[in-house]
Amino acid sequence: MEEYFYGEIRNRDEQQVYRTAVHEAAHAYIYSLSGKKPVYLTVISRGNFGGYMQREDEENKGTTSREEFIWMIRTSLAGRLGEEVVFGDQESVNSGARSDLQNASSIALKMLTMYGMQDDCLFSMPLETIMHSELMPLYAKKAEEILQEQKKVCRDLIEKGKGKIIKLARELSKKNHLNTEEIAEILE
């Protein structure tokens, strides 16, 4: 099934697999702290990704709170930050977090422009309209402030859970994928 949706498996060396495992384990750890359960983790590289974490199905969920958006941002930032904490700042900078950073940025911008989730303003306008206006630099700066604040919070959480993240990453590297029960057993 994964091959159908995501393409052929790409071969990587053990170091690349472990780096990806740490990245995905950090996503899973932060996501679990939000009160949700990661459903599936894999480090099998396909298409344009090295691995991924599947989230709980929230298809029938209605609205999303500001706090839930904040946890989404933290979860998106967690992969890069997990690599920073485990491997060191210089070693962690790579292109693997591109889509995660784009996702976190998009959530922060939507909170500000579409959902009126600013402390000082209830303004709401489609993000696409803002992006093509003189207001974009202002909103980009505010979004970056949100991201930087959540980066600090997320990094602290990851540093506290580093042992669990490493344990999860080792198991993920060994098995290539983990299910809900296997993830929960390690993170509890």
Side-chain angles (χ1 to χ4, degrees):
M1 181 101 147
E2 285 180 304
E3 184 175 339
Y4 175 78
F5 285 110
Y6 304 120
E8 296 287 324
I9 294 174
R10 292 185 320 200
N11 292 323
R12 297 173 301 153
D13 63 37
E14 285 183 37
Q15 184 180 12
Q16 290 172 314
V17 170
Y18 184 64
R19 178 175 293 285
T20 301
V22 167
H23 184 103
E24 298 307 328
H27 282 309
Y29 176 72
I30 294 298
Y31 186 69
S32 70
L33 291 180
S34 76
K36 298 181 179 172
K37 293 181 183 177
V39 175
Y40 180 75
L41 285 177
T42 186
V43 290
I44 296 175
S45 180
R46 296 176 183 275
N48 65 351
F49 63 85
Y52 69 89
M53 176 191 74
Q54 185 177 342
R55 294 166 167 80
E56 279 183 318
D57 180 21
E58 296 184 9
E59 189 174 301
N60 295 322
K61 186 180 179 307
T63 60
T64 304
S65 71
R66 185 179 198 285
E67 187 66 15
E68 289 170 313
F69 280 127
I70 292 297
W71 278 104
M72 287 178 198
I73 290 171
R74 290 175 187 158
T75 299
S76 292
L77 297 176
R80 164 73 61 86
L81 295 172
E83 290 182 61
E84 283 182 16
V85 169
V86 173
F87 300 113
D89 290 344
Q90 295 304 314
E91 287 292 316
S92 68
V93 178
N94 62 66
S95 61
R98 176 186 52 88
S99 63
D100 295 333
L101 297 175
Q102 288 175 342
N103 186 53
S105 299
S106 176
I107 293 167
L109 280 169
K110 287 177 182 176
M111 286 172 63
L112 295 168
T113 62
M114 297 174 65
Y115 304 127
M117 293 182 174
Q118 299 182 62
D119 293 335
D120 59 346
C121 182
L122 291 175
F123 177 80
S124 176
M125 185 177 285
L127 179 56
E128 297 77 28
T129 303
I130 298 286
M131 289 183 75
H132 300 290
S133 77
E134 294 174 10
L135 294 171
M136 188 56 198
L138 170 68
Y139 283 96
K141 183 177 185 254
K142 288 182 176 194
E144 180 65 17
E145 289 170 3
I146 291 171
L147 296 174
Q148 290 297 330
E149 180 181 327
Q150 295 315 310
K151 177 184 175 184
K152 289 176 187 169
V153 172
C154 188
R155 185 181 190 96
D156 288 345
L157 293 169
I158 287 172
E159 286 174 351
K160 289 176 186 167
K162 181 179 176 181
K164 289 182 179 184
I165 291 168
I166 290 172
K167 187 175 178 182
L168 185 60
R170 286 182 180 151
E171 191 69 12
L172 182 56
S173 292
K174 188 168 57 173
K175 292 184 175 179
N176 289 326
H177 52 83
L178 298 172
N179 63 33
T180 305
E181 292 79 23
E182 293 168 316
I183 297 164
E185 184 178 319
I186 293 168
L187 292 181
E188 289 178 356

